[in-house]
Amino acid sequence: MTLKVCKFGGTSMADGNTMQTVRKIIESDEKRKYVVVSAPGKRFNGDTKVTDLLYACYNELKETGDCKQSFAKVRARFESIIKELNIDFDVKSVLDETEKRLVEEHSADFTASRGEYLSARIMAVLLGAKFIDSEDVVFFKEDGQLDDLATYRAISQAVADGGCAVFPGFYGKGADGKVKTFSRGGSDISGAIVARAVNASVYENWTDVSGFLACDPRIVENPKRIKNLSYKELRELSYMGANVLHSESIFPVRKANIPIIIKNTFRPEDEGTAILPITQYKPDGNIVTGIAGKKNFTVILIEKNHMNSEIGFIRKVLSVLEREGVSIEHIPSGIDTMSVVVDSDEIEGYKLEQIIEGIKNEAEPDVIRVMENVALIATVGHGMSSSIGTSARLFKAMSEANINAKMIDQGSSELNIIVGVKNEDCEKCIAAIYHEFFG
Ligand code: ASP
């Protein structure tokens, strides 16, 4: 039978009412058998997500040895959820036990993971489904990567009885036997892992928006919704800041060609966005699919005469960054010039100076300059490769908006054009490109 794995984000789990909405969605389709949940998110503007309350607990724990004060807020959130739901769940004992374990484990990851743990336990009772602790079925290797084979095997064994099950998102077990979390927003990855393990026909990701928009609605009012995205387009857009879905979440489903559907818990009738393998991808007919931008990059510009004929020049430059443990975002290059673009957070403090010194010593460039506060803007779409003049239109739009491109990089698949602009031009640039291609 066709199976659906549904992941519900923080706003869908925010309180008893939203959890009831989630229950109705699950019960309205018998294919929705496996559920992955986030910790309760914000109930209103200015509210605090449970995961953030838990990180505050860990800070208190580090300073004072317990987290009584901060954990009181977590208690209050879950007690009020149980009161609203009116279900048979001994919330006091579960919270007491959780608080005790926070002190014993004394770990940031363990503490942060309890939001998902508690919301999954509650959701399991609400649905009359089995609770499967991700600690027992999601495993990481020594290097921090997912141990996918062991994980898929454990999940399929855990669901072998055929009943409905609820999994907490965001965490698993590290190689040291302790709870380990993914990066923030990682429940999306957990959902994809479960979808892959049970060989789901669809991975439904339920959130509080009706799908992906062609650009950030805080920048352009009412941007067009994207009906279909390919995995590759999604990866480009989410990596560059379109944060509907964690950028790592496609990897588990991609190998098995499982489509991801982004749906809105609060408007379930809306079609949402389908993220599909290229073989199932139906373009919307637009040249550009979406535009996303991210601020705070640093560009190291390097010039050296006859760079292109000096064998090993780029390797020398890159080995300096490798030694400093800095990952590289882009390397646009010319005949006698190359630039290295890195996330500014990665080279905070003395690291940048060390990198510059290292490049000077090892690669002996003629000129080396640093450009900070750069925003990268990615214009993404499969339609771009087959349509002549796309970059001309993009740069015309930028010049009409009086924006200077400090750097240009086009991916080899012609799926994207990335431009670097000053941080303060980021929003203006996204708006200009959007209006050029979407009217
Ligand atoms: N609760 C975690 C976070 O706030 C993970 C998630 O919601 O996906 O980042």
Side-chain angles (χ1 to χ4, degrees):
M1 124 147 160
T2 49
L3 278 179
K4 292 183 179 178
V5 168
C6 313
K7 180 258 163 178
F8 288 89
T11 31
S12 310
M13 303 301 292
D15 60 28
N17 270 331
T18 61
M19 286 193 188
Q20 287 290 13
T21 308
V22 167
R23 180 185 59 78
K24 283 186 203 137
I25 290 172
I26 296 166
E27 289 176 354
S28 69
D29 183 346
E30 59 170 18
K31 295 189 213 81
R32 296 189 175 123
K33 277 187 75 174
Y34 302 121
V35 178
V36 177
V37 295
S38 279
K42 293 185 184 182
R43 293 159 293 183
F44 44 82
N45 264 346
D47 194 17
T48 310
K49 290 167 123 189
V50 164
T51 308
D52 291 321
L53 296 177
L54 287 162
Y55 280 117
C57 289
Y58 181 64
N59 287 339
E60 189 186 333
L61 195 58
K62 266 194 312 191
E63 276 163 31
T64 67
D66 75 40
C67 55
K68 280 234 142 16
Q69 238 183 325
S70 321
F71 195 70
K73 292 187 184 154
V74 177
R75 272 185 186 276
R77 283 294 295 268
F78 284 103
E79 278 165 1
S80 97
I81 288 175
I82 295 301
K83 205 162 150 209
E84 282 164 348
L85 290 175
N86 196 17
I87 50 171
D88 187 13
F89 186 87
D90 186 356
V91 66
K92 183 172 179 316
S93 315
V94 177
L95 288 167
D96 286 348
E97 172 61 25
T98 303
E99 190 176 342
K100 200 166 126 234
R101 269 197 83 190
L102 293 190
V103 179
E104 283 163 13
E105 299 278 336
H106 204 93
S107 121
D109 281 17
F110 180 82
T111 308
S113 73
R114 293 305 91 181
E116 273 68 14
Y117 169 82
L118 292 164
S119 61
R121 286 205 49 188
I122 294 169
M123 205 62 214
V125 174
L126 186 62
L127 292 171
K130 177 157 102 172
F131 166 76
I132 299 177
D133 196 341
S134 300
E135 186 183 351
D136 300 328
V137 290
V138 175
F139 304 115
F140 295 94
K141 292 189 278 201
E142 203 81 55
D143 63 1
Q145 299 297 314
L146 182 77
D147 186 344
D148 40 7
L149 290 182
T151 298
Y152 299 149
R153 198 182 315 124
I155 294 175
S156 45
Q157 275 165 8
V159 300
D161 60 11
C164 294
V166 182
F167 299 78
F170 192 36
Y171 71 93
K173 190 187 274 174
D176 58 359
K178 300 211 174 291
V179 162
K180 177 175 163 53
T181 59
F182 291 102
S183 56
R184 294 297 306 262
S187 300
D188 286 338
I189 310 174
S190 311
I193 290 170
V194 175
R196 174 73 193 282
V198 303
N199 202 10
S201 48
V202 171
Y203 168 29
E204 288 182 345
N205 189 291
W206 292 82
T207 167
D208 56 356
V209 289
S210 296
F212 255 84
L213 299 173
C215 79
D216 187 335
R218 287 167 301 186
I219 298 176
V220 170
E221 211 182 307
N222 221 352
K224 195 168 174 279
R225 186 179 59 80
I226 304 171
K227 281 194 198 155
N228 291 291
L229 267 176
S230 73
Y231 290 148
K232 280 192 179 159
E233 289 174 327
L234 166 80
R235 173 92 178 124
E236 299 280 345
L237 290 169
S238 54
Y239 187 75
M240 288 302 275
N243 56 10
V244 178
L245 195 70
H246 194 295
S247 66
E248 303 281 303
S249 34
I250 50 161
F251 292 115
V253 290
R254 183 157 81 173
K255 285 199 193 130
N257 287 343
I258 300 168
I260 308 172
I261 316 280
I262 309 284
K263 295 280 286 177
N264 187 346
T265 302
F266 309 101
R267 294 177 60 98
E269 62 291 349
D270 286 358
E271 199 184 332
T273 297
I275 300 151
L276 303 161
I278 196 74
T279 47
Q280 294 170 33
Y281 172 75
K282 301 175 238 80
D284 291 359
N286 297 317
I287 297 173
V288 167
T289 303
I291 306 141
K294 216 169 156 184
K295 291 184 180 172
N296 296 330
F297 289 92
T298 299
V299 184
I300 304 171
L301 301 116
I302 300 159
E303 285 179 32
K304 185 166 189 179
N305 278 332
H306 309 296
M307 178 188 288
N308 62 339
S309 54
E310 182 180 328
I311 292 170
F313 183 84
I314 293 182
R315 179 187 48 75
K316 286 181 204 157
V317 171
L318 300 188
S319 64
V320 175
L321 287 122
E322 184 178 359
R323 217 173 34 237
E324 295 296 332
V326 174
S327 53
I328 296 164
E329 304 287 332
H330 296 279
I331 319 174
S333 66
I335 298 175
D336 289 333
T337 61
M338 70 176 285
S339 307
V340 182
V341 185
V342 296
D343 188 328
S344 305
D345 288 345
E346 289 233 12
I347 47 160
E348 262 177 343
Y350 69 98
K351 243 190 189 173
L352 179 60
E353 282 161 39
Q354 265 179 338
I355 290 169
I356 302 294
E357 269 319 293
I359 296 176
K360 278 186 184 162
N361 290 337
E362 282 168 51
E364 299 174 344
D366 297 335
V367 179
I368 179 159
R369 281 188 297 128
V370 174
M371 195 160 67
E372 290 181 289
N373 303 319
V374 173
L376 295 184
I377 291 157
T379 304
V380 177
H382 287 291
M384 285 164 39
S385 64
S386 53
S387 107
I388 292 166
T390 309
S391 35
R393 284 178 68 186
L394 190 150
F395 292 116
K396 186 172 130 275
M398 284 177 65
S399 92
E400 279 171 4
N402 209 9
I403 301 163
N404 183 19
K406 303 215 156 268
M407 187 211 89
I408 301 162
D409 199 6
Q410 182 171 25
S412 53
S413 55
E414 289 184 66
L415 175 66
N416 63 15
I417 298 174
I418 294 179
V419 289
V421 300
K422 285 195 275 182
N423 266 351
E424 60 261 37
D425 284 339
C426 180
E427 287 83 3
K428 198 163 80 166
C429 186
I430 292 175
I433 300 171
Y434 178 85
H435 290 305
E436 173 61 35
F437 288 98
F438 293 91

